């Protein structure tokens, strides 16, 4: 099946590079048009009715998300293309939007297109992701929200409500202040990277904790951390020094 796509980006060289890359690495994608700003992008989407849109965030006459909000109903898949740095990207990751970082890596392009091909976003789901992103960029880090997808539900959680994360092979169990547990098909390493800078520290191969939820620390070779939910977790010996530094900085 041919996937009809559009590329919306204000940088001519970036557009050309992405279009060429799509043609070489994604033969089932047909680029049906290009636009360089919000106004052109809006008109082109209405005219072409694409299956997939590659959308830049920053453009001269507004943002890609402002473009999306012009539509009452979104019927296409979306891949955000951005030059944002890692810190700014966290708002996108928290919102569970698929993205490509400039300069675009071919292997990441193939993965993103594969995800877009296999899962059609509903209007409601994409709207939720965009609203969460817009809320995240306008709030302090501790109040940011993260979207957690499970096999049965979509959860929008405040980062500060997470007590700890526990590895379960290729899954992660998220423990909340409400005592609720959410199981997500992402590794603990992915959550460690996502939550770095938000007061979380990986104390053990299997445990990532919210440092603000610590009740006490029992000293030992590695030691034991006691959290507000009364869970007792081991601190690995090799992570102890870093944990102590993090604890002293709170």
């Amino acid at each position: 099946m041919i996937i009809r796509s559009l590329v919306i980006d204000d940088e001519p060289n970036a557009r050309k590079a992405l279009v060429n890359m799509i043609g070489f690495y994604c033969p089932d994608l047909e680029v049906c048009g290009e636009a360089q700003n919000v106004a052109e992008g809006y008109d082109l989407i209405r005219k072409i009715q694409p299956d997939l849109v590659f959308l830049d965030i920053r453009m001269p006459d507004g943002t890609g998300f402002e473009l999306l909000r012009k539509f009452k109903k979104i019927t296409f898949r979306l891949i955000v293309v951005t030059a944002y740095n890692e810190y700014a990207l966290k708002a996108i990751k928290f919102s569970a939007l698929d993205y490509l970082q400039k300069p675009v890596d071919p292997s990441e392009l193939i993965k993103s297109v594969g995800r877009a091909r296999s899962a059609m976003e509903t209007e409601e789901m994409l709207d939720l992701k965009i609203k969460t992103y817009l809320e995240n960029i306008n709030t302090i880090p501790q109040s940011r929200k993260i979207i957690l997808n499970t096999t049965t539900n979509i959860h929008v959680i405040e980062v500060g409500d997470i007590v700890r994360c526990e590895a379960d092979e290729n899954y992660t169990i998220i423990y909340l202040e409400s005592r609720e547990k959410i199981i997500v098909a992402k590794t603990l390493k992915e959550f460690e990277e996502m939550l770095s800078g938000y007061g979380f520290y990986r104390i053990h191969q299997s445990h990532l904790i919210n440092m603000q939820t610590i009740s006490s620390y029992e000293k030992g070779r590695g030691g034991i951390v006691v959290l507000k939910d009364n869970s007792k977790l081991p601190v690995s010996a090799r992570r102890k020094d870093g944990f102590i530094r993090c604890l002293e900085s709170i």
Side-chain angles (χ1 to χ4, degrees), residues 74-139:
I74 296 174
T75 59
F76 49 84
R77 300 174 181 89
L78 175 70
I79 297 177
V80 176
V81 184
T82 177
Y84 276 10
N85 60 29
E86 178 58 29
Y87 182 80
L89 275 174
K90 286 186 177 179
I92 298 173
K93 293 178 180 179
F94 279 16
S95 309
L97 288 166
D98 205 349
Y99 72 93
L100 291 169
Q101 191 168 8
K102 296 178 181 178
V104 175
D105 180 88
S107 63
E108 295 302 317
L109 170 65
I110 293 168
K111 290 176 186 176
S112 288
V113 170
R115 287 190 291 268
R117 187 187 297 112
S118 62
M120 171 67 84
E121 301 265 66
T122 64
E123 172 194 359
E124 292 79 11
M125 182 58 185
L126 185 54
D127 186 58
L128 175 64
K129 290 181 178 182
I130 293 166
K131 285 180 178 177
T132 302
Y133 170 80
L134 293 173
E135 187 174 340
N136 278 340
I137 61 175
N138 292 314
T139 58

Side-chain angles (χ1 to χ4, degrees), residues 187-240:
T187 64
L188 188 62
K189 181 175 177 57
E190 291 178 86
F191 280 102
E192 179 185 14
E193 293 172 351
M194 202 183 304
L195 294 172
S196 64
Y198 291 85
F200 285 75
Y201 189 82
R202 190 166 182 175
I203 60 170
H204 186 276
Q205 182 177 350
S206 299
H207 302 293
L208 176 70
I209 66 170
N210 183 343
M211 296 293 289
Q212 296 295 328
T213 68
I214 294 175
S215 292
S216 64
Y217 170 60
E218 300 173 5
K219 295 180 179 179
R221 183 169 180 270
I224 299 292
V225 169
V226 182
L227 303 182
K228 291 179 180 178
D229 64 356
N230 295 320
S231 56
K232 294 186 176 184
L233 306 173
V235 179
S236 70
R238 71 184 185 88
R239 298 176 188 267
K240 179 179 177 179

Side-chain angles (χ1 to χ4, degrees), residues 3-21:
I3 298 173
R4 300 164 68 251
S5 61
L6 301 178
V7 175
I8 303 174
D9 192 320
D10 67 312
E11 301 177 39
N13 290 339
R15 284 201 314 273
K16 182 178 180 180
L18 181 55
V19 169
N20 289 341
M21 201 176 291

